[in-house]
Amino acid sequence: MNSLDIDKPASATRVVVAMSGGVDSSATAALLKEQGYDVVGVTLQLYDLAASGISPGACRPNTCCAGKDIHDARAVADALGIPHYVLDFEETFRKDVVERFAQSYLAARTPVPCVECNRTVKFRDLLGVARDLGADALATGHYVRRRPGSQGAEMWTGRDPARDQSYFLFATTREQLDFLRFPLGNMVGKDETRAIAARHHLPVAAKRDSQDICFVPDGDYAALVARLHPGAARPGEIVDGAGRVLGRHPGLIHYTIGQRRGLGLGGGPPLYVVALEPESGRVVVGGREDLNCPAVHVEAVNWLGGGETELRVAVKVRSTRPPAPALLRRLPGDRAEVILDEPEQGVAPGQACVFYQGERVLGGGWITPAREA
């Protein structure tokens, strides 16, 4: 059994590496090459800045800008001496990720497009490409761990909690997890990853991490939705919990649950967005205490473990939140109810709710308004 838990010598094991042009995926390719694996790099062309109406000069620091990333991935592959392919997945990415992102905002939900990208383009389509190339595994630079279990491969959080990316991978199926590998999951700190890249003299060793959504490098989500769906920014009323009109807004696509800035309501006590009503087009605001959410309803749940109907877990309701203790109840039709020990604030429909037992990922689903549960 080799280091990837495959019953072959490393030299006889072909691994396709998803190479984004960043330091994580580049270090992954370098590490596997160093260990003697037959490594093939694949980079996906996912979007065209010019076609989207965004000038490359508008890309903010620490964001992906498609052309440069593909160039960087190719340069890394050349430095490592491995085959490298660039595949055009723009249409699939537009349909499965960008359009779903826009539709979520139109439905007054706050999406997590990285989950959709991993679930579809990367772990569905790219995994198929890897199989077509005769690979034994598809490796990525994500900071999570894969462990063998009694019922197949299990997903565990990255060893370094500060870099753990399991929240964005909850929708990975058990079948996909059997084929996937995450060589960086045991790394502690980004310095360890950069040291691998530096040891192999890779041109991206000092490249900064990308932090924003790759297809919105200027950070203007509402403008993207408006470009895709002209007229989507329908003005409406800003009201309090009693329905009293406090002001007007330029469109629901500009707001998310928990938002405080940009309400334009003048002085007085701080107000927060506590609800968005797509039917009436109203933004409902209230005090901070109105953001408290004692229970979360979840749909389209992907289960990776935990067969009990009711079990104690920790859950994350946003990628930036620490796990919170809760009681998880399975419901019919891939739904679940999460009863939080302490209310969470700013729980937004459209975000993911991911379930954990210790460091193991049990799965997760999409937060839905209570009225739809």
Side-chain angles (χ1 to χ4, degrees), residues 277-335:
E277 298 180 348
E279 299 85 2
S280 65
R282 298 192 305 180
V283 173
V284 183
V285 297
R288 189 174 182 85
E289 68 281 358
D290 295 318
L291 292 171
N292 288 338
C293 181
V296 181
H297 299 274
V298 188
E299 63 186 358
V301 175
N302 179 56
W303 298 104
L304 291 173
E308 302 91 335
T309 302
E310 189 170 289
L311 67 161
R312 294 291 304 173
V313 295
V315 301
K316 293 183 71 169
V317 296
R318 281 187 185 266
S319 63
T320 54
R321 298 276 181 86
L327 177 68
L328 172 64
R329 292 176 177 153
R330 283 185 180 232
L331 301 175
D334 292 327
R335 296 180 301 120

Side-chain angles (χ1 to χ4, degrees), residues 169-233:
L169 299 180
F170 81 85
T172 306
T173 67
R174 293 188 181 192
E175 181 183 12
Q176 291 168 342
L177 197 55
D178 283 338
F179 194 70
L180 288 162
R181 298 296 187 274
F182 309 103
L184 302 186
N186 280 307
M187 299 290 175
V188 178
K190 191 62 175 255
D191 289 347
E192 192 172 352
T193 304
R194 293 193 185 280
I196 296 171
R199 186 167 71 242
H200 288 269
H201 307 290
L202 302 185
V204 298
K207 187 174 181 178
R208 292 189 292 186
D209 290 347
S210 59
Q211 297 175 344
D212 286 314
I213 297 173
C214 66
F215 56 89
V216 198
D218 60 356
D220 193 343
Y221 307 149
L224 171 73
V225 177
R227 283 199 301 272
L228 293 174
H229 296 275

Side-chain angles (χ1 to χ4, degrees), residues 149-182:
S150 60
Q151 297 182 336
E154 299 173 353
M155 183 182 294
W156 289 57
T157 60
R159 185 181 170 197
D160 183 352
R163 302 208 66 81
D164 170 54
Q165 293 174 300
S166 60
Y167 181 87
F168 300 104
L169 299 180
F170 81 85
T172 306
T173 67
R174 293 188 181 192
E175 181 183 12
Q176 291 168 342
L177 197 55
D178 283 338
F179 194 70
L180 288 162
R181 298 296 187 274
F182 309 103

Side-chain angles (χ1 to χ4, degrees), residues 254-272:
H254 295 277
Y255 300 90
T256 186
I257 304 298
Q259 181 174 332
R260 178 183 172 187
R261 297 180 183 276
L263 299 180
L265 296 178
L271 292 174
Y272 301 81

Side-chain angles (χ1 to χ4, degrees), residues 62-91:
N62 297 0
T63 60
C64 298
C65 275
K68 184 179 188 309
D69 291 328
I70 291 174
H71 175 272
D72 288 345
R74 182 176 290 118
V76 168
D78 288 345
L80 294 173
I82 62 173
H84 179 247
Y85 303 96
V86 178
L87 305 179
D88 184 351
F89 274 48
E90 283 192 37
E91 180 58 25

